């Protein structure tokens, strides 16, 4: 058990080092002649106006909220699905009830018009 | 134990013996052997990645009635190497006003999140990195890391197109991760484990694609969305936001986004093979016959796994190059109003049927599961058809068609 996660940890190190190596090589052998025009923001030839990091559409936030509820709740279903063979039928039905509560939440968001992109 | 029956453990034991023979403590020898093994696996993935560049360019050329790369080497096989050299010697431009730290981390994270998936990808019964008992959750976690890289790249570039791409990626990920996670529960139920090796071994007699064809379809759709490939490539959308999140990246940093995407697509083809097509095993019990015992050799299994993964990758490319991009409101509505309810119904049906049918012989169990899936698919199509008819009639009532002449 401990060795498995040691392996994953070592994999993380190698997985980060391998992409860095070509970037380092490129840093040493590629030309480097920056100038203001080259470094300006690309916008199809038009000069950029104003700040980039502006306020964004609130709709993204609402979808993120709906997602959060679902994502957390589906994670709770994993232990139930794993031990399905050991559970009595009653516990299986209880899991289905949990899915039913999820569906009710989805129907509520739907009826409230939260799933419309406006 | 010989090399042909168990190549990785054979070599690992040999290397471990050599290292401890030199007087290294056992713990450090294990770490060193792990590091060597990981490096070999990652280098294999990278070489495969270079091959995928060639495959992708050739296949897209064929879809568009072109020839594709055919100048460098036989069939243009040397082309990807030339591409890499070109990318490495190109000037690396960082836009003024970019968030330099995030801007530089993003491509590395994007590639690393894909490479990390290879830690649990079993190429054969005993050629794999590690067999985690939470394998499927690990897949979901690494997918989220890849999304994070896209968001970082879009945010840090100080470019409005890039930022729009990142926003769309958030909406995309936020939507399609739900059906993905729900559908991952179905192999978990059928196999009774989350470990990818366990799921593969559970399919020795019958593929899960036959037990849950609808699950396979939903998995492929949400995998394509998770990859951000067409028809869900709103985060790149060349025709409206130019290249989306990686618009400002040049040289090798762009190269990592590109290579990462290809390897990611292949890896998801591999996971489709593992979860639904029996991965390295899954010959419908054929390997139990003495005449077909060679199917159990690790290198043969690895060959079949790569073949299945390539087929999955080919389907992803097929979809990419034949479908137009869909609008963001359609994409979100398709997910929240169609895929999520459908996958929840499928999950409930699978769970209850598994509980009832698991006592029966395999073929009756499989038949029950298959019929249940077909019933759900037919009912879904009927509901959609009647809904479409009602919509059409309502539209006609609102605006009657002008009578011709």
């Amino acid at each position: 058990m401990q060795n498995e996660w040691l392996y994953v940890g070592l994999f993380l190190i190698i997985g980060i080092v391998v992409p860095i190596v070509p970037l380092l090589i490129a840093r040493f052998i590629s030309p480097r002649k920056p100038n203001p025009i080259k470094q300006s923001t690309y916008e199809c030839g038009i000069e950029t106006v104003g700040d980039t990091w502006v306020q964004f559409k609130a709709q993204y936030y609402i979808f993120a909220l709906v997602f959060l509820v679902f994502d957390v709740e589906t994670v709770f279903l994993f232990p139930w699905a794993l031990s399905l063979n050991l559970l009595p039928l009653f516990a299986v039905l209880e899991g289905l009830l949990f899915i039913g509560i999820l569906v009710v939440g989805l129907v509520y968001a739907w009826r409230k018009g939260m799933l419309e992109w406006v | 134990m010989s090399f042909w029956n168990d190549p990785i453990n054979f070599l690992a034991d040999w290397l471990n013996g050599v290292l401890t023979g030199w007087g290294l403590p056992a713990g450090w020898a294990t770490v060193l052997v792990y590091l060597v093994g990981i490096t070999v696996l990652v280098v294999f993935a990278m070489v495969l990645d270079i091959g995928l560049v060639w495959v992708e360019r050739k296949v897209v050329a064929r879809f568009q009635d072109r020839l594709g790369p055919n100048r460098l080497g036989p069939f243009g096989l040397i082309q990807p190497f030339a591409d890499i050299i070109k990318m490495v010697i190109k000037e690396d431009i960082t836009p003024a006003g970019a968030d330099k730290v995030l801007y530089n981390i993003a491509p590395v994270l994007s590639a690393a999140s894909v490479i990390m998936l290879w830690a649990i990808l079993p190429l054969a019964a005993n050629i794999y990195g590690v067999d985690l008992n939470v394998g499927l959750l690990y897949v979901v976690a690494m997918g989220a890391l890849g999304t994070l890289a896209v968001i970082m790249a879009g945010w840090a570039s100080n470019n409005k197109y890039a930022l729009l791409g990142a926003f769309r990626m958030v909406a995309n990920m936020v939507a399609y991760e739900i059906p993905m996670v729900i559908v991952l529960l179905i192999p978990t139920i059928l196999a009774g484990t989350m470990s990818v090796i366990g799921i593969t071994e559970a399919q020795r007699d019958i593929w899960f694609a036959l037990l849950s064809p609808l699950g396979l379809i939903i998995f492929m759709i949400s995998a394509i969305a998770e990859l951000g490939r067409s028809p869900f490539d709103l985060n790149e959308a060349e025709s409206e936001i130019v290249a989306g999140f990686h618009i400002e990246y040049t040289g090798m940093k762009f190269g990592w986004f590109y290579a990462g995407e290809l390897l990611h697509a292949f890896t998801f083809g591999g996971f489709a093979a593992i979860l639904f097509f029996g991965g390295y095993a899954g010959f419908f019990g054929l390997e139990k016959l003495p005449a077909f015992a060679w199917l159990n050799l690790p290198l043969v299994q690895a060959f079949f796994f790569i073949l299945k993964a390539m087929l999955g990758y080919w389907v992803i490319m097929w979809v990419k190059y034949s479908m137009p991009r869909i609008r963001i409101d359609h994409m979100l509505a398709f997910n929240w109003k169609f895929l999520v309810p459908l996958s929840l119904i499928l999950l409930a049906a699978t769970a209850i049927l598994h509980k009832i049918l698991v006592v029966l012989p395999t073929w009756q169990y499989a038949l029950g599961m298959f019929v249940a899936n077909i019933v759900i698919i037919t009912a879904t199509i009927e509901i959609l058809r009647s809904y479409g008819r009602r919509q059409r009639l309502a539209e006609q009532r609102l605006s009657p068609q002008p009578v011709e002449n």
Side-chain angles (χ1 to χ4, degrees), chain B residues 76-91:
Chain B
L77 270 169
I78 317 274
Q79 186 67 46
F81 295 95
D83 284 348
I84 291 170
I85 294 169
K86 178 195 75 179
M87 278 176 181
V88 169
I89 61 178
K90 267 201 171 182
E91 181 175 358

Side-chain angles (χ1 to χ4, degrees), chain A residues 4 7 11 19 26 30-31 33 38-39 41-42 48-49 52-53 56 60 63 67 70 84-85 87 116-117, chain B residues 88-91 94-96 115 129 131 155 158-160 167 174 178 194 248 256 332 336-337 354-355:
Chain A
E4 284 177 7
Y7 188 90
F11 213 104
S30 63
K33 295 183 190 115
K38 202 186 270 177
Q39 286 184 316
T41 299
Y42 173 76
T48 182
V49 177
T52 304
W53 294 312
F56 59 88
Y60 289 107
F63 272 99
F67 161 76
F70 268 86
L84 204 67
N85 286 329
L87 293 176
E116 309 296 331
W117 185 260
Chain B
V88 169
I89 61 178
K90 267 201 171 182
E91 181 175 358
T94 309
I115 294 172
D131 182 21
W155 179 261
N158 190 23
N159 183 311
K160 286 175 190 125
F167 282 160
V174 147
I178 307 283
M194 273 197 271
E248 291 284 4
W256 275 124
L332 290 169
W336 287 108
K337 297 179 180 173
H354 175 81
K355 195 63 193 169

